[in-house]
Amino acid sequence: MGIELGVRPYQRRFVSPLQTAHGLWSWREGLLVRLRDSLGRVSYGEIAPIPWFGSESLEEALQFCIAQNGEWRGETIPERLSATQFGLGCALAELAEAGCLTGKEPAIVDVCGLLPAGEAALDLASQRLAQGHRTLKWKIAVQAIADEIRWLDQLVKALPPDAHLRLDANGGLSLAQAEQWLMACDRINTDPQTAAIEHLEQPLPSDQLLAMQDLGRRYQTAIALDESVATLAQLEKCRAQGWRGVVVVKPAIAGSPQRLQAFCQTYRPRLVFSSAFETGVGRRAALAVASRCSSACSAALGFGTQGWFTDDWDTLTPAELWDRLQ
Ligand SMILES: [Mg+2]
């Protein structure tokens, strides 16, 4: 008998549906996997796909797991199943290390707090600061640009000068709008008395890498790629095409954790690690990968997602959560 593979689907509801460039996101769906070896040692992993971000669909991940017939025989996981590569890759590594990834989450210096899109960010900002966040992230390209830039100015004035703000357009801007935003960011960033804009995340759609490189040369405020580098294969491609700026990496959908680590060690890219709204199982594994790549990563981690769901799963151990799903 090899390694026993169990898989259990989960569904969890967001307290408030998230506004994404692809509509409202109300339920986070994914899979927990459990491996058990012949010595009875157990490890858990999470497959948390975001298909509109470039990973496989939940259905494809589930099909792959079901096709294993309850036993892991070391089959190669196809590249397009990037979330499956991560979930099973972490569970296998944990089993091999006999559980050294379990236990507490790695210590985190700074976690980025999320703000809701639109004017609501102004109300929530003080709450996020009170929770200890010094880096906040705000979704833009959701409402009229003139309104959003006006709210940005108000938001920056309301934040302490040592705070940092990340703006995330999710690829939703035109070139002219991106220029308007970058002008506003550069104007804000020339004032040392106010909070700084750390970066503008994915201003243009993911296929417009050259245009974003050009923007990066013309404005002071950094541009970070996110949707353009959802998977390791895309990350490698952007690097080959000359991108040396900031990249946002969501380990849960990037692919093999070992390959991601090797990439980071070889090229030392400017990384911001980010959540894919996974459960504690995927979160712990993603943070472990982030901390192993930490020499390349000094920016606040984008993992401020606890408390976004209606359930109490954040308080459960992997084993408790697994039992809850049966
Ligand atoms: Mg983003």
Side-chain angles (χ1 to χ4, degrees):
M1 181 68 187
I3 298 171
E4 184 190 302
L5 167 65
V7 54
R8 289 184 180 169
Y10 71 78
Q11 275 197 329
R12 53 190 323 212
R13 191 156 73 158
F14 286 102
V15 173
S16 322
L18 291 194
Q19 211 146 19
T20 75
H22 306 265
L24 283 184
W25 195 13
S26 306
W27 290 85
R28 209 301 169 229
E29 293 181 293
L31 306 170
L32 279 201
V33 294
R34 187 182 70 172
L35 299 176
R36 183 154 55 189
D37 68 11
S38 54
L39 299 171
R41 293 181 302 196
V42 166
S43 69
Y44 297 91
E46 176 172 355
I47 301 172
I50 312 181
W52 65 83
F53 222 94
S55 83
E56 73 274 41
S57 67
L58 179 68
E59 211 36 53
E60 289 171 300
L62 186 59
Q63 286 310 320
F64 178 85
C65 291
I66 289 173
Q68 306 307 309
N69 260 326
E71 194 182 353
W72 182 251
R73 295 180 204 83
E75 187 174 323
T76 303
I77 306 169
E79 187 131 307
R80 64 187 175 79
L81 304 183
S82 60
T84 306
Q85 281 191 340
F86 177 80
L88 280 170
C90 288
L92 286 162
E94 190 187 320
L95 201 61
E97 292 163 21
C100 77
L101 291 185
T102 56
K104 279 199 233 149
E105 288 182 3
I108 301 162
V109 183
D110 189 7
V111 172
C112 179
L114 296 180
L115 295 174
E119 200 175 5
L122 293 170
D123 293 330
L124 251 291
S126 57
Q127 205 175 311
R128 294 283 176 261
L129 293 169
Q131 289 165 340
H133 297 291
R134 278 298 169 271
T135 304
L136 301 175
K137 175 159 145 171
W138 186 39
K139 293 267 179 202
I140 61 164
V142 177
Q143 304 204 19
I145 186 167
D147 289 335
E148 289 186 336
I149 290 181
R150 185 163 44 82
W151 293 327
L152 173 69
D153 282 315
Q154 293 173 10
L155 188 55
V156 162
K157 286 199 186 93
L159 295 175
D162 66 337
H164 293 262
L165 192 60
R166 295 171 181 171
L167 305 179
D168 189 358
N170 288 112
L173 299 176
S174 66
L175 185 58
Q177 289 172 329
E179 289 172 333
Q180 228 179 309
W181 274 105
L182 286 163
M183 261 189 285
C185 294
D186 280 2
R187 169 172 55 74
I188 288 166
N189 282 345
T190 54
D191 184 350
Q193 304 304 319
T194 64
I197 311 299
E198 187 176 298
H199 64 234
L200 172 60
E201 203 167 304
Q202 195 75 38
L204 306 178
S206 52
D207 55 354
Q208 295 184 27
L209 183 69
L210 289 180
M212 286 186 278
Q213 264 172 321
D214 185 48
L215 287 174
R217 278 189 287 268
R218 285 166 46 215
Y219 294 92
Q220 299 299 311
T221 306
I223 290 172
L225 299 183
D226 187 2
E227 280 85 345
S228 292
V229 292
T231 65
L232 197 45
Q234 290 170 308
L235 190 58
E236 287 164 346
K237 192 171 153 210
C238 284
R239 168 133 198 126
Q241 289 177 339
W243 183 262
R244 297 294 182 269
V246 183
V247 286
V248 179
V249 171
K250 295 174 170 56
I253 58 167
S256 153
Q258 292 81 13
R259 253 182 69 202
L260 177 59
Q261 240 170 276
F263 179 87
C264 294
Q265 276 153 13
T266 306
Y267 297 112
R268 309 205 166 265
R270 290 159 64 193
L271 288 164
V272 172
F273 283 97
S274 178
S275 151
F277 292 97
E278 52 292 88
T279 72
V281 174
R283 178 189 160 90
R284 208 170 278 117
L287 286 173
V289 170
S291 76
R292 279 190 234 117
C293 299
S294 61
S295 59
C297 167
S298 59
L301 292 160
F303 276 86
T305 58
Q306 282 171 315
W308 282 67
F309 294 95
T310 56
D311 52 55
D312 64 347
W313 291 3
D314 292 336
T315 65
L316 303 179
T317 66
E320 286 167 344
L321 180 56
W322 177 260
D323 289 341
R324 191 75 74 85
L325 295 176
Q326 59 188 326

